[in-house]
Every structure is written in structure tokens, then in C-alpha cells.
Amino acid sequence: MGPGLGFKHLEHISEAYVEAWGSTLEEAFENAGRAFFDIMTDVNSVEPVREVELQVEAEDLEALLFEWITALLVEFDTTGMVFSKFQVTIEKTDGKFRLRAKAYGEPYDPERHPPKVEVKAMTYSLMEIKQEDGGYRIRYVVDI
């Protein structure tokens, strides 16, 4: 090991920072879902052969995004499904936002879906949902 202090600092990356966009809020949320699964594997390798319906609701759009990504993580953790295609609708009723989604994918198979990193949790860190010229931009951070 050689002389010196007896230690060194190693790089430790514990987060993934994502940006997704779309011409509508729904499309931006769909792409945020695709980006989430692309952290774990090559999303282009995931065949959209099975449909799963998901629904979340929250008081505001940031909380809705948090619940959306968390629901995708829970679905992966409990069923082993990875998704590559989404159909999202978002509506505001009674002061709450409700997201309904159809997610299309298949069971995770490391032989066909190259593993990248494991996602541990969704966070509110650096979260942004902005309406811009021509659409919406979403940024979020997950713990890995």
C-alpha cells in the first residue's frame, strides 16, 4: 500500500439526476417514467408486452411526481416489472391532482435487460416542473 496517510478518498455517487420533457405535462411525466427505468437498464431493451394500470394522487405537481416515481419503484420492487412505454392522464379535481397511467413493459431479465444501477428511493432534491416554450420540463433526483 505504500507510505502515507493510510487512507484515500474514493468517489461515491449516490444519486441520479434526471431531466425529462414533453409537449404536454402528461408527456413529460411519461418521459420521466421512461428515464426512471433507463437508470436501471437500457429502456430500449424493454418490450412493452404487458400492461399495468397505476394511479396516484397528491396535493401539488411536485408531490404527484414524487408519488408517480415511487409507484414505479414499488411496482418494480414487488413484481419485477420494467416499463418502456406509458400513457398518462393528469386531472385536477377537488384541489388534488390525480395521475392515471397505463405502463407497458415486461418482467426484468438481466440476460436481456443490461443492469445499470439499483434505485433505492425517490427524493424531492432539486425537483423542478416547469412550463416552458413548447412544453414542460421535469427534473428530479433518485437515490441509487
Side-chain angles (χ1 to χ4, degrees):
M1 301 299 286
L5 297 172
F7 68 87
K8 67 179 178 176
H9 292 278
L10 302 173
E11 187 175 352
H12 176 70
I13 299 171
S14 61
E15 298 175 329
Y17 191 21
V18 173
E19 182 174 83
W21 54 90
S23 57
T24 64
L25 183 62
E26 286 87 350
E27 186 178 48
F29 268 71
E30 290 167 0
N31 287 327
R34 276 183 60 83
F36 170 76
F37 284 101
D38 201 59
I39 294 167
M40 295 188 287
T41 188
D42 177 3
V43 77
N44 295 316
S45 71
V46 178
E47 294 293 326
V49 293
R50 281 199 204 162
E51 177 186 312
V52 173
E53 293 191 12
L54 300 166
Q55 182 175 310
V56 295
E57 62 179 48
E59 300 291 326
D60 58 45
L61 287 176
E62 288 78 13
L64 192 71
L65 177 62
F66 184 92
E67 295 299 330
W68 167 234
I69 300 301
T70 299
L72 295 176
L73 178 59
V74 168
E75 189 69 24
F76 172 75
D77 285 345
T78 57
T79 68
M81 290 286 290
V82 288
F83 302 99
S84 59
K85 182 180 169 193
F86 302 90
Q87 289 179 324
V88 168
T89 58
I90 297 171
E91 49 190 28
K92 187 175 183 180
T93 52
D94 301 327
K96 283 189 171 186
F97 288 94
R98 178 175 289 124
L99 180 150
R100 288 190 175 104
K102 291 181 180 176
Y104 301 89
E106 62 183 334
Y108 176 68
D109 177 358
E111 296 290 315
R112 293 186 34 256
H113 308 124
K116 291 183 182 177
V117 296
E118 177 187 348
V119 175
K120 294 190 174 96
M122 177 60 174
T123 75
Y124 280 97
S125 177
L126 302 174
M127 186 186 287
E128 288 182 334
I129 301 173
K130 289 195 174 172
Q131 186 172 7
E132 299 180 330
D133 293 339
Y136 287 83
R137 179 173 49 84
I138 291 175
R139 289 183 176 167
Y140 67 88
V141 172
V142 292
D143 288 337
I144 57 174

